[in-house]
Amino acid sequence: MPHHKKNTVQDNLLPPSESRRSAVDARIPAYAGTGTAAAPPPSGRRERAQWLATELERHNVLYHTLDSPEINDEHYDLLFRELVSLEQRFPELQTPWSPTLRVGGAPLENLEKDAHTQQMYSLDNVFSVEEWREFVERMRRAAPRISPAFWCDPKLDGLALELVYENGVLTKALTRGDGHTGEVVTATARAIRSVPLRLLGQSRFPMLLEVRGEVVIFKKDFVALNARQAAAGEKVFANPRNAAAGALRRLDTTGLLPLRFLAYSLGSVVWGNDPPCAFHHELMQRLAAWGFATPPAGKLCDCPQKVEDYARTAQHDRKGLPMETDGIVAKLDNFADQRRLGFTARAPRFAVAFKFPTEQVETLLTGIEVQVGRTGVLTPVALLRPVAVGGVIVSRATLHNEDEIRARDIRIGDSVIVRRAGDVIPKVIGPVLAKRPPEAKEFVFPRSCPACGESVARDPHETAWRCGNLSCPAVRRERIIHFVSKAGLDIQGIGRKWIEQLWDAGLVRSPADLFAMTVEELKHFERMGQKLADNFTQALDTAKNNATLTKLVNALGIRHVGEQTARTLAKNFRNLDELAAADTVVLQPLPDIGPEVAESVVNFFANPANKEEIARLRDLGISPQGDAEPHPAGQTHFLCGKSVLFTGTLSISRAHAQALAESAGAVAASGISKKLDCLIAGENPGGKLVKAQQLGVTILDEKAFMALVTKDV
Ligand code: IVH
């Protein structure tokens, strides 16, 4: 554990570091027996192990969250090794929050997936003060009585992570994944020192607490990491975000990169006996008190104008922050107002990312290439003299379409301005006319498909030229690439490069061909070998087993059918055959499906080549049942194995409520006692409620209970 001082940036709400530290000190769970930091440590085996675990965690918080270590690395390692050795000899001494769990085991083959109890949303962006004002206006129109105070903090350029705490103990960590389902990375998360293994504090913790935040690598750690990688002849990472992504998903937690977790919001929470937070600023204080590091320089701005000031200052100060940021996030402070505004399919209506102006550079446009996409659209791509912008080297950028090139008067040989923001695709803004050489050449858009030679057509209402050849090789290849991509079945380790090679070798002509390949066929393939061929087929098997109808429908790449529509279709049909048989009369009444989408779906399934492909996929074992989703409260639901008791009148029948609880894995209790995990109280609850309060049993009202068991994952 390297000891280096962090640059702390003070925020204006949390107490200054000394008083914050003593506030946290008071909450660091003290060892209950004799031998605190001051008194001599205990000598009994069990007491010693508990003392070591408590002390080590205290030092973790002091070092990683509070920036004020009390002991050096050697001392820490000594205590750590003693605890490891004790736990190895007496495994019953290992608690679920033991700091020894922070060291991971061997790398895992494949990451398990699990559903988020609440969707992990993305954020909408605004790029200017004007757009920010429009966002506020929209919010005011939607909910005129909201109070326009915002919690602001920097937008961290890392990876979103959700940590699940049950009664204060970390039990699971999930990546964002597609927002609905994430990858289980509990072991990696435990190895991140700034992730509390149990919450600080002595009071009762929320029964369920999902803390969301960002995994980042500090800039200085990134520089050191790349220096080490280079010295060892290993891959150098393009930016901290890529390095963090690799580390988090790699699962080889031994020698883990210097990842850090910064908490900024919540997923599901059942407060139990802990008083709920009503404001975002209150939540940030609570997160810090529980032992989480939070984004630096967070601030409560009591009006939209102050958010503009905050954004300006943040942009000015960004170089001084320890981590990469690409903007600020402004979130409505009042949780009741947040609930009032709710979410779109993609993002909250109560929060927005206010992006810093993007980086622009100048470089040479050496040529223009035309690519054919999976829908047959021809896209011109700028070939650039390689240049660094926004943290990566860019040598290609989109030029969108023929009209764009003409409108901006972009010519081959021009010096052009290229812009890139965050992970957005680089874009050519326009030429530097003053530098145009006399030989600069206008680009003539091709009238035939560069892949198949068929003539291309342009719909009068569209800007794009399109190749309409159903068997155009480029279209077919791009469709396979889409099929294996994250938007499709998300087949690990198989991406554009491999598909292009397999395609060029003539081995694969459709997604079904991929699944039909054997290790024998694969291993003799160029640059493949036994190990990679094994991984390959294993990844295909995993994808096959994990395929849901939503993913498969999305993977097929039906025109106008994106993720959201795929989800709607999967909710309404039991399998692909049923969907294939649906006509527009059945499809059109479904949410988000208009005449154009309905017709596109019907056409897709009427096409004989598509029919054949679907039949082949079915024969290969890819025929997922409709996502009449497994009950959201699956095996890992926090009610699983808990005893519950109902009292008072609920708006649904007691039998129905009981059934919901049981399908979440709960067990019905016969009466009230200290052993009861949870009392669900309806209207006019009476004596049981009082008794439960006296015994300190967790109490849920009907709304909280229903939210928990009927969540739409
Ligand atoms: S709050 C309801 N605060 O950026 C979503 N998100 O590009 C509330 N992010 O999905 C999220 N820094 O993963 C929040 N200070 C910050 C953030 C932040 C980075 C991530 C987050 C979000 C993504 C959108």
Side-chain angles (χ1 to χ4, degrees):
M1 185 180 65
H3 265 108
H4 31 231
K5 270 270 173 204
K6 279 186 260 176
N7 277 341
T8 29
V9 181
Q10 215 52 60
D11 55 58
N12 74 337
L13 261 176
L14 299 171
S17 97
E18 257 323 295
S19 62
R20 180 172 170 196
R21 156 134 193 223
S22 55
V24 177
D25 268 359
R27 272 183 293 265
I28 294 181
Y31 171 68
T34 54
T36 54
S43 50
R45 182 194 303 149
R46 179 170 303 275
E47 294 71 26
R48 179 76 187 167
Q50 279 180 14
W51 178 83
L52 284 166
T54 311
E55 268 298 277
L56 284 164
E57 268 314 86
R58 192 171 71 85
H59 289 300
N60 261 328
V61 174
L62 288 173
Y63 176 72
H64 289 282
T65 310
L66 297 176
D67 269 314
S68 33
E70 273 176 10
I71 58 174
N72 61 18
D73 288 3
E74 290 71 35
H75 192 165
Y76 183 93
D77 288 344
L78 211 65
L79 296 177
F80 192 85
R81 279 204 297 272
E82 185 185 342
L83 183 58
V84 170
S85 129
L86 260 175
E87 288 176 354
Q88 269 167 359
R89 283 177 294 146
F90 310 101
E92 72 279 7
L93 296 183
Q94 188 177 48
T95 61
W97 57 84
S98 171
T100 57
L101 289 169
R102 290 192 185 278
V103 181
L108 294 185
E109 284 294 326
N110 271 310
L111 290 164
E112 222 183 286
K113 301 222 165 137
D114 207 346
H116 291 289
T117 62
Q118 265 180 38
Q119 183 176 343
M120 272 183 98
Y121 288 91
S122 191
L123 283 172
D124 283 335
N125 294 321
V126 294
F127 291 94
S128 63
V129 170
E130 291 68 39
E131 286 182 21
W132 158 250
R133 290 180 188 164
E134 282 164 20
F135 169 81
V136 175
E137 250 335 284
R138 264 200 309 282
M139 227 166 56
R140 282 202 164 117
R141 273 200 302 276
R145 279 200 296 278
I146 53 162
S147 80
F150 293 86
W151 177 263
C152 293
D153 44 30
K155 180 157 190 311
L156 310 170
D157 196 12
L159 286 125
L161 183 69
E162 174 172 275
L163 301 173
V164 182
Y165 290 84
E166 293 180 42
N167 297 311
V169 178
L170 175 69
T171 53
K172 188 163 72 183
L174 275 179
T175 62
R176 177 213 299 280
D178 63 5
H180 297 270
T181 304
E183 287 159 325
V184 181
V185 289
T186 317
T188 328
R190 283 205 178 104
I192 300 174
R193 296 297 170 95
S194 49
V195 166
L197 299 183
R198 62 173 169 164
L199 303 178
L200 293 185
Q202 259 108 22
S203 65
R204 290 182 63 111
F205 299 112
M207 216 173 145
L208 172 77
L209 177 74
E210 295 175 353
V211 176
R212 293 176 175 181
E214 204 84 352
V215 173
V216 298
I217 298 183
F218 281 7
K219 290 186 256 186
K220 64 173 170 14
D221 293 334
F222 177 70
V223 172
L225 167 73
N226 260 355
R228 257 183 287 138
Q229 292 283 108
E234 300 269 345
K235 172 179 160 198
V236 173
F237 297 101
N239 52 44
R241 181 194 157 91
N242 286 1
L248 194 62
R249 300 189 63 263
R250 214 187 48 211
L251 276 207
D252 179 0
T253 53
T254 45
L256 200 79
L257 301 176
L259 301 181
R260 299 177 194 248
F261 177 78
L262 302 175
Y264 48 60
S265 73
L266 295 183
S268 296
V269 51
V270 178
W271 290 102
N273 294 343
D274 210 10
C277 289
F279 298 96
H280 205 97
H281 75 263
E282 211 182 310
L283 171 66
M284 296 314 286
Q285 286 174 314
R286 192 83 62 91
L287 285 169
W290 277 324
F292 292 95
T294 53
K299 184 172 172 173
L300 182 63
C301 297
D302 58 17
C303 66
Q305 170 62 46
K306 291 205 177 136
V307 175
E308 293 173 21
D309 300 340
Y310 179 88
R312 214 167 296 118
T313 314
Q315 192 192 335
H316 183 260
D317 294 349
R318 74 192 281 207
K319 292 253 176 336
L321 287 185
M323 73 291 281
E324 298 281 358
T325 61
D326 56 359
I328 65 151
V329 181
K331 304 151 223 193
L332 211 53
D333 192 43
N334 187 320
F335 282 153
D337 287 343
Q338 289 192 359
R339 280 191 292 274
R340 229 160 259 145
L341 284 160
F343 300 83
T344 66
R346 206 190 81 87
R349 291 198 189 88
F350 54 81
V352 79
F354 193 154
K355 294 296 217 40
F356 296 138
T358 49
E359 204 186 323
Q360 290 190 179
V361 294
E362 192 184 311
T363 189
L364 194 69
L365 178 69
T366 56
I368 294 178
E369 185 184 283
V370 175
Q371 274 181 357
V372 187
R374 70 181 165 91
T375 58
V377 168
L378 269 53
T379 306
V381 176
L383 306 178
L384 304 165
R385 178 181 286 166
V387 63
V389 49
V392 297
I393 304 289
V394 170
S395 56
R396 301 161 70 86
T398 175
L399 286 167
H400 299 290
N401 54 51
E402 183 185 23
D403 293 354
E404 281 270 325
I405 300 178
R406 197 163 301 145
R408 291 171 201 266
D409 186 22
I410 295 169
R411 301 188 193 177
I412 298 166
D414 269 340
S415 283
V416 290
I417 302 293
V418 178
R419 177 188 285 175
R420 182 181 174 276
D423 47 8
V424 180
I425 304 166
K427 205 176 151 175
V428 174
I429 304 303
V432 186
L433 289 176
K435 291 194 182 167
R436 172 166 290 167
E439 68 278 10
K441 218 170 62 213
E442 259 184 74
F443 175 67
V444 186
F445 210 89
R447 292 292 179 264
S448 60
C449 171
C452 70
E454 295 271 322
S455 57
V456 293
R458 183 171 161 168
D459 188 314
H461 308 296
E462 279 192 5
T463 45
W465 287 91
R466 206 181 275 275
C467 168
N469 176 6
L470 283 179
S471 52
C472 170
V475 173
R476 292 178 65 188
R477 193 191 57 205
E478 289 302 315
R479 292 177 68 94
I480 308 174
I481 292 169
H482 170 77
F483 191 92
V484 301
S485 76
K486 210 168 168 189
L489 288 200
D490 193 11
I491 303 176
Q492 299 297 309
I494 307 183
R496 170 172 293 277
K497 289 227 170 78
W498 275 116
I499 300 297
E500 280 175 355
Q501 283 193 44
L502 292 168
W503 175 276
D504 291 345
L507 282 179
V508 169
R509 287 289 173 260
S510 81
D513 290 346
L514 267 178
F515 291 92
M517 282 190 317
T518 61
V519 173
E520 269 316 299
E521 282 173 305
L522 276 167
K523 79 177 184 198
H524 300 298
F525 193 69
E526 221 183 320
R527 268 174 301 195
M528 182 67 87
Q530 180 75 39
K531 177 130 197 297
L532 216 51
D534 281 340
N535 290 348
F536 220 91
T537 45
Q538 236 166 47
L540 286 162
D541 270 349
T542 308
K544 198 194 288 190
N545 298 334
N546 291 345
T548 60
L549 192 54
T550 303
K551 280 199 211 167
L552 183 58
V553 170
N554 204 12
L556 291 174
I558 306 169
R559 203 163 162 205
H560 304 308
V561 176
E563 198 190 320
Q564 188 70 23
T565 313
R567 191 166 292 121
T568 304
L569 293 172
K571 274 206 179 119
N572 287 282
F573 295 94
R574 272 179 302 182
N575 51 46
L576 212 52
D577 293 324
E578 215 177 70
L579 172 60
D583 57 19
T584 50
V585 180
V586 176
L587 290 166
Q588 231 163 279
L590 300 178
D592 313 323
I593 296 186
E596 203 181 14
V597 182
E599 202 183 304
S600 164
V601 173
V602 171
N603 286 345
F604 180 89
F605 288 108
N607 176 315
N610 292 339
K611 273 190 186 156
E612 192 195 317
E613 173 73 5
I614 287 161
R616 278 188 71 204
L617 287 171
R618 188 196 311 110
D619 292 345
L620 289 159
I622 307 167
S623 56
Q625 295 304 298
D627 301 345
E629 321 235 9
H631 197 281
Q635 274 262 309
T636 55
H637 196 281
F638 93 103
L639 271 182
C640 192
K642 305 259 161 74
S643 59
V644 299
L645 185 68
F646 292 91
T647 183
T649 321
L650 302 172
S651 64
I652 54 173
S653 75
R654 187 66 69 84
H656 186 183
Q658 194 87 31
L660 284 174
E662 278 171 19
S663 64
V667 198
S670 51
I672 203 152
S673 75
K674 247 178 129 164
K675 286 206 197 115
L676 179 66
D677 290 311
C678 189
L679 181 77
I680 294 135
E683 293 291 314
N684 307 319
K688 278 190 197 157
L689 179 64
V690 182
K691 184 105 187 275
Q693 279 165 339
Q694 284 165 356
L695 291 172
V697 169
T698 298
I699 298 157
L700 296 181
D701 63 9
E702 181 178 348
K703 207 165 140 225
F705 169 70
M706 290 305 285
L708 217 79
V709 292
T710 59
K711 211 151 277 150
D712 185 12
V713 278

